[in-house]
Amino acid sequence: MNEAMVKRILITNDDGIAAPGLEVLIDIAHALAEEVWVVAPEHDRSGAGQSISLHTPLRVYQHANRRYAVSGTPADCVLFALAEWFGETPPDLVLSGVNNGANISDSVQYSGTVGAVLTAEHMGIPAIALSQAYLNRDGINWAPVNVWGERVIRALWQPEQPCCWNVNFPACEADEVREMRWARQSTGSIQRTQLLAGQDARNLPYWWLGFERSSRHIVAPDSDVAVLRDNAIAVTPLRSEAGLPGGATMVVL
């Protein structure tokens, strides 16, 4: 087993306590830390951003030793864990994910995966969000993050520097990944909002809110979208003053 990088890691996500990507991240975290805590939403809370529960109480369900489900948002999970279990000794690192699908371009601001990381950073704790892009939701290939996740986290986590990153793994085979690159968050994928109307059993109206997106919009070569298209790992700082260790491009193969 690889030498532990930190003493304690806290893991959360926005896909829920039963998400397959969470299991991927747990395996990675055990290679990095002496102690791994999992505090994740009870159900899928995708799109929650940094929202917290102010109008409903939180309920917590223990699934195993150091593994809990919370009835709230990813941000709730981070804040609850810090208050309930960590006290004066916060975790060395918060990891969020691995998200089912990329968190890039205009989706970043809504992402609960990213929201958890920003919440941790606001509390002074280094944090990294990890997401796995896919071409087919029914057959997600977790190989890139399985193979390269530990190495990427080791490269990005710097004890003496701020650490708040959004990391996206490309939709390809692990051996097709050649490098990880610093990437800017792109814009332009959301073309307009959409409303899908319906009626409930009492004939009262409701609406599903969504977006009309474009996957063919023009993006800069150093954007997160372009980096993933090149089968590279896209690393985007969520703090403007953060810099990628080793320069703008870091070869991992």
Side-chain angles (χ1 to χ4, degrees):
M1 179 179 292
N2 292 321
E3 181 181 355
M5 181 179 73
V6 297
K7 180 179 180 180
R8 185 183 295 114
I9 285 177
L10 170 63
I11 292 176
T12 191
N13 70 355
D14 73 357
D15 289 327
I17 192 70
L22 185 68
E23 300 301 327
V24 172
L25 191 53
I26 290 171
D27 288 343
I28 293 171
H30 277 295
L32 296 168
E34 299 173 13
E35 185 177 303
V36 176
W37 287 73
V38 179
V39 184
E42 181 185 10
H43 304 295
D44 189 333
R45 297 304 299 264
S46 298
Q50 284 185 262
S51 64
I52 58 175
S53 299
L54 297 178
H55 304 288
T56 56
L58 297 176
R59 302 186 186 277
V60 178
Y61 309 93
Q62 185 168 7
H63 283 233
N65 184 37
R66 298 180 187 146
R67 180 167 179 151
Y68 298 86
V70 176
S71 61
T73 67
D76 287 331
C77 292
V78 172
L79 297 175
F80 187 97
L82 295 181
E84 179 69 10
W85 294 298
F86 295 108
E88 300 301 317
T89 55
D92 302 286
L93 179 64
V94 171
L95 299 176
S96 184
V98 176
N99 192 67
N100 182 347
N103 275 307
I104 54 176
S105 190
D106 299 311
S107 66
V108 173
Q109 61 194 6
Y110 303 110
S111 166
T113 304
V114 173
V117 166
L118 292 171
T119 300
E121 191 275 332
H122 289 165
M123 302 302 291
I125 303 170
I128 303 173
L130 300 98
S131 302
Q132 176 62 62
Y134 61 76
L135 299 177
N136 182 355
R137 176 181 286 274
D138 295 327
I140 297 177
N141 181 5
W142 299 98
V145 66
N146 264 319
V147 172
W148 300 112
E150 178 188 341
R151 187 166 178 178
V152 168
I153 294 169
R154 287 183 181 276
L156 293 177
W157 189 81
Q158 304 292 317
E160 305 302 323
Q161 296 181 11
C163 175
C164 191
W165 298 100
N166 182 28
V167 181
N168 284 274
F169 294 81
C172 62
E173 295 300 328
D175 59 7
E176 296 179 274
V177 178
R178 292 291 180 266
E179 61 188 4
M180 74 178 189
R181 297 185 202 160
W182 180 86
R184 301 180 188 274
Q185 183 185 331
S186 61
T187 59
S189 66
I190 293 178
Q191 303 298 299
R192 58 183 60 85
T193 56
Q194 288 182 325
L195 291 174
L196 180 62
Q199 288 185 323
D200 65 16
R202 296 182 296 164
N203 294 322
L204 297 175
Y206 65 81
W207 291 267
W208 286 105
L209 176 64
F211 300 107
E212 181 179 320
R213 296 181 179 273
S214 169
S215 60
R216 298 298 179 184
H217 60 292
I218 298 174
V219 293
D222 64 348
S223 70
D224 47 15
V225 173
V227 171
L228 287 187
R229 288 174 181 172
D230 287 343
N231 286 349
I233 300 167
V235 179
T236 304
L238 295 169
R239 290 175 57 110
S240 59
E241 64 268 32
L244 180 63
T249 301
M250 184 174 295
V251 177
V252 296
L253 275 180

